[in-house]
Amino acid sequence: MVDAQRSDTKWPGIFKSTTGMVFFGTPFRGAGGLDQREMLRAAQSQYAEDQVQGAVLNILPPGNESLIDLTAYFFETRRGEDKARVACFFEQKSSNVGVILRESRIQKFVVDETSGCLDQSESTEKYSLSRDHFSMNKFGRPEEEDFQTVCEVVEKMVEQSPGLITTRNQEHCSSEQDSFRVPFRLTGLPVTGNFVDRDQEMRSIERSLLSSNARDQRRIHVLHGLGGIGKTQLAIAYARKYQERYSAILWLNGNSRDTLVQSLAAFARDTEIDGTRESTISAIGHGQELWEKANAVLRWLARDGNHRWLLVFDNVDRDYQAETEDQQAYDIESFFPASDHGSVLITTRLPHLGEHGSATKVTSVDQEQGRQIIRNNVRACLSTS
């Protein structure tokens, strides 16, 4: 288990999938009942010569530094709430060592309770069996009391295994998301201190982007309306309110093709995401370096495990389908990451962009909201005068 935790490549899945371990007379603190010579002879009497590893037996005397270190390393694998269950069975009867060694009758406890239990904490289950050391795992009939004891322990481990695996997977996902976490910043955003809550529109965004119904699928919400109506401020308010829900929030200036690529490249620079040769968007009319960085961000967003991001396209107002050609207009879908995960929020004057997902039409504020805006502006003027 120590090796499996250290090298998942060499022992793939072993550590993560092990939910229970049973030890029968395992000498965690050495076998005090036999000296090294006796242990070797006892092993040779029970197993074929090629099955006896003398080097392993060398660490079994009590106080052996290698055994102490190995036990300590094993303890390190058992940190955390999701550790595998451990059950230690120890002998209640002394062993007739003399028979095995072909000498006069000698009765000894080979591995006593102190050595046979990993530790004395509650995380280690301890059970005694009415057996000597050499019959700890040998049972004649299913109805034997000791066999029933072992069965109950193993069955309980099996019952609890699915819950333990679920917990580990959740922790793994959480840890994986932490590796993609990027601090949320408002730098460069047109934040106003006089924003008035738009509860109805906010609930519409929440239903679309925070719904658990499409947990592993991409969610897209479009805020459309006249210029200056408050779409950007509403998007900022949503991002600020739910920033802890997302591992990364990317705010892109969608005013033109150039500003969009520059926003992606700036994020790549700030987060040190490196570009590679493959491109998912065309580099026509742009510096190759900017496009490489922009494409690197889109690939980063598409990576497995990186699914809790929010991508905000702000001010996507140029219609690439318009009859009059606009070199700076673009197909916004070509800038979506290739994977089917994450969340996208778009602010635009173009209602037809709502075809990409759910949409909310942002209209003028009602009378009460208007009065609140006036009150906020007055307070702001008074505070600066």
Side-chain angles (χ1 to χ4, degrees), residues 180-183 185 248 250 264-274 297 300:
F180 294 111
R181 184 166 291 280
V182 177
R185 298 184 179 91
L250 289 72
L264 287 166
F267 181 84
R269 182 187 64 245
D270 294 342
T271 55
E272 299 182 355
I273 296 175
D274 294 323
V297 173
W300 180 78

Side-chain angles (χ1 to χ4, degrees), residues 37-317:
R37 177 184 63 84
E38 292 172 334
M39 281 188 280
L40 181 59
R41 290 179 58 189
Q44 290 172 337
S45 71
Q46 300 289 308
Y47 302 97
E49 185 174 349
D50 61 349
Q51 293 179 301
V52 178
Q53 300 183 23
V56 175
L57 297 175
N58 289 339
I59 73 170
L60 293 183
N64 182 276
E65 290 187 4
S66 297
L67 179 60
I68 293 173
D69 289 343
L70 180 59
T71 303
Y73 294 146
F74 184 66
F75 267 114
E76 289 298 314
T77 69
R78 296 186 45 72
R79 295 183 180 275
E81 296 297 323
D82 62 345
K83 56 180 174 288
R85 289 185 60 195
V86 167
C88 296
F89 293 90
F90 58 89
E91 61 214 56
Q92 279 192 317
K93 293 182 178 180
S94 59
S95 301
N96 187 356
V97 178
V99 172
I100 296 176
L101 299 177
R102 297 186 179 89
E103 296 178 356
S104 58
R105 183 178 177 83
I106 305 173
Q107 292 290 134
K108 290 184 178 181
F109 279 94
V110 179
V111 180
D112 60 18
E113 178 181 353
T114 302
S115 181
C117 295
L118 179 61
D119 63 1
Q120 299 303 313
S121 71
E122 294 182 357
S123 63
T124 297
E125 301 171 32
K126 310 163 191 66
Y127 303 92
S128 62
L129 296 180
S130 183
R131 304 174 164 268
D132 65 22
H133 183 74
F134 299 102
S135 63
M136 288 288 289
N137 61 346
K138 298 179 177 67
F139 305 98
R141 301 184 310 278
E143 55 271 12
E144 288 182 24
E145 183 178 349
D146 285 344
F147 183 77
Q148 291 294 324
T149 300
V150 174
C151 281
E152 289 175 4
V153 172
V154 174
E155 287 172 355
K156 192 173 181 181
M157 285 184 176
V158 172
E159 289 174 3
Q160 296 180 350
S161 181
L164 188 56
I165 292 295
T166 298
T167 299
R168 288 178 180 174
N169 288 338
Q170 290 173 342
E171 291 178 350
H172 174 71
C173 289
S174 176
S175 175
E176 197 173 46
Q177 282 302 306
D178 286 342
S179 66
F180 294 111
R181 184 166 291 280
V182 177
F184 175 58
R185 298 184 179 91
L186 293 171
T187 307
L189 301 186
V191 181
T192 176
N194 300 327
F195 178 75
V196 174
D197 292 339
R198 290 175 174 257
D199 294 337
Q200 185 174 344
E201 291 89 342
M202 182 65 75
R203 283 194 295 269
S204 178
I205 303 173
E206 293 166 352
R207 283 193 298 270
S208 176
L209 300 186
L210 300 179
S211 170
S212 60
N213 295 333
R215 183 176 179 181
D216 297 324
Q217 298 177 354
R218 179 189 295 154
R219 307 163 191 169
I220 301 175
H221 194 79
V222 178
L223 298 175
H224 64 90
L226 298 175
I229 204 71
K231 303 182 298 295
T232 296
Q233 293 305 314
L234 181 57
I236 291 174
Y238 174 82
R240 297 177 79 174
K241 183 177 181 179
Y242 292 106
Q243 57 182 287
E244 295 302 324
R245 291 282 194 99
Y246 298 101
S247 56
I249 298 178
L250 289 72
W251 196 278
L252 309 179
N253 184 348
N255 183 59
S256 68
R257 193 178 184 89
D258 281 347
T259 59
L260 186 56
V261 172
Q262 289 165 6
S263 295
L264 287 166
F267 181 84
R269 182 187 64 245
D270 294 342
T271 55
E272 299 182 355
I273 296 175
D274 294 323
T276 56
R277 293 181 181 177
E278 297 179 6
S279 292
T280 60
I281 46 182
S282 171
I284 298 175
H286 292 275
Q288 187 64 32
E289 183 180 357
L290 282 181
W291 279 95
E292 287 181 357
K293 290 183 180 297
N295 276 289
V297 173
L298 296 182
R299 286 190 298 273
W300 180 78
L301 293 171
R303 287 178 57 182
D304 290 340
N306 186 14
H307 56 81
R308 285 202 303 115
W309 45 260
L310 172 64
L311 191 56
V312 182
F313 292 87
D314 187 32
N315 290 328
V316 185
D317 298 330

